[in-house]
Amino acid sequence: MGNSKYNNWQKNKESEVQEISINSNLESNKGAVAEHFNKFFANIASDIVANINPPNTLSLTNDPEKLIPENKLFNMSGRPLQQGELSSALNSLLPKFSKDYHDLSMNFLKTIAPTIEKPLLYVFGRSLAQGMVPNKLKIARIAPIFKGGDKTNVTNYRPISLLCNFAKILEKIVQARLTKFINENNLLSNKQFGFRSMHSTVHPALLAHNFITESLNKKKDSRSNFL
């Protein structure tokens, strides 16, 4: 979630939904409106999947498992969680004042982190060792953001999830371990630029520029496919 989107939701009181159309009737009861949004957002993915044509299994002549090269397996529970990992995860998160489902802000958690360090190490350590995420960390506060058009039509809204701040800390720990494993085993292509530290849109632009320039120097054509 981008910071600007998040701040806009926090500051713009006009974004609050006053009424919504349910079965061609305008409904202003907050409970009914929330439930209608919940049903709509919860079924979006399944509705899209239901309309996707199934693949032609006859054309799948190769076993997908055999096409995947063998690599060293990633083991999240290979070593106990260290205090340094927890500190790094906390330091990487912005001290936002926005509150999650449990009415806790990241600013507050970062402030009291030294006093709750031991229980956090225990809970997150158990989560990594068992490969399970506590259900309490899976709860998010969903906010409908108006896109345009008729404000009473739920299809003109998109959801953003205000995740549990404790879950964000755990996610940062997992991300750091996974990124370290990927980099140490050279599992990413050197042309993978997105979602990587020290990489930006400048890198693929330079790569394309160099490719085109080299082709022109060799009197060749340059062609690109954009998907």
Side-chain angles (χ1 to χ4, degrees), residues 175-190:
Q175 179 194 33
R177 288 195 172 195
L178 182 58
T179 301
K180 184 174 184 293
F181 172 83
I182 289 174
N183 291 335
E184 288 179 348
N185 291 277
N186 298 316
L187 298 181
L188 290 181
S189 166
N190 58 3

Side-chain angles (χ1 to χ4, degrees), residues 15 35 49 61 79 88 97 118 168 201 204:
S15 65
E35 183 60 27
V49 171
T61 55
R79 55 187 173 83
S88 296
F97 289 91
K118 288 186 178 180
K168 291 181 181 179
T201 53

Side-chain angles (χ1 to χ4, degrees), residues 55-205:
N56 183 2
T57 55
L58 295 179
S59 64
L60 300 178
T61 55
N62 295 320
D63 182 1
E65 293 292 337
K66 295 181 180 179
L67 299 178
I68 301 176
E70 291 186 6
N71 286 304
K72 180 181 177 182
L73 295 178
F74 175 60
N75 184 7
M76 184 65 69
S77 59
R79 55 187 173 83
L81 179 63
Q82 303 298 316
Q83 189 274 340
E85 293 181 88
L86 177 60
S87 297
S88 296
L90 279 165
N91 292 335
S92 67
L93 292 164
L94 296 176
K96 295 182 179 179
F97 289 91
S98 50
K99 296 181 179 180
D100 59 15
Y101 176 81
H102 305 288
D103 284 330
L104 296 173
S105 69
M106 186 57 70
N107 178 273
F108 176 72
L109 292 183
K110 288 171 73 74
T111 302
I112 66 170
T115 61
I116 61 173
E117 181 180 283
K118 288 186 178 180
L120 286 183
L121 283 171
Y122 175 78
V123 173
F124 293 158
R126 292 275 292 178
S127 176
L128 296 176
Q130 297 180 1
M132 298 178 63
V133 178
N135 289 330
K136 291 286 186 179
L137 302 189
K138 300 178 183 179
I139 302 176
R141 176 178 288 168
I142 307 299
I145 300 300
F146 180 62
K147 296 183 296 184
D150 183 3
K151 285 191 174 183
T152 65
N153 189 339
V154 292
T155 61
N156 291 329
Y157 292 80
R158 61 180 176 81
I160 62 170
S161 299
L162 308 183
L163 303 176
C164 170
N165 283 313
F166 283 115
K168 291 181 181 179
I169 301 173
L170 179 59
E171 286 179 356
K172 284 293 184 180
I173 294 172
V174 172
Q175 179 194 33
R177 288 195 172 195
L178 182 58
T179 301
K180 184 174 184 293
F181 172 83
I182 289 174
N183 291 335
E184 288 179 348
N185 291 277
N186 298 316
L187 298 181
L188 290 181
S189 166
N190 58 3
K191 295 182 176 62
Q192 170 65 41
F193 304 111
F195 305 100
R196 296 184 68 184
S197 177
M198 306 301 292
H199 291 74
S200 71
T201 53
V202 173
H203 294 90

Side-chain angles (χ1 to χ4, degrees), residues 37-49:
F37 269 113
N38 180 56
K39 289 181 180 179
F40 174 68
F41 291 147
N43 292 318
I44 288 178
S46 57
D47 290 343
I48 293 176
V49 171

Side-chain angles (χ1 to χ4, degrees), residues 19-40:
E19 58 183 9
I20 211 74
S21 177
I22 303 177
N23 297 326
S24 300
N25 296 318
L26 291 179
E27 178 62 69
S28 58
N29 179 273
K30 291 186 177 181
V33 170
E35 183 60 27
H36 191 60
F37 269 113
N38 180 56
K39 289 181 180 179
F40 174 68

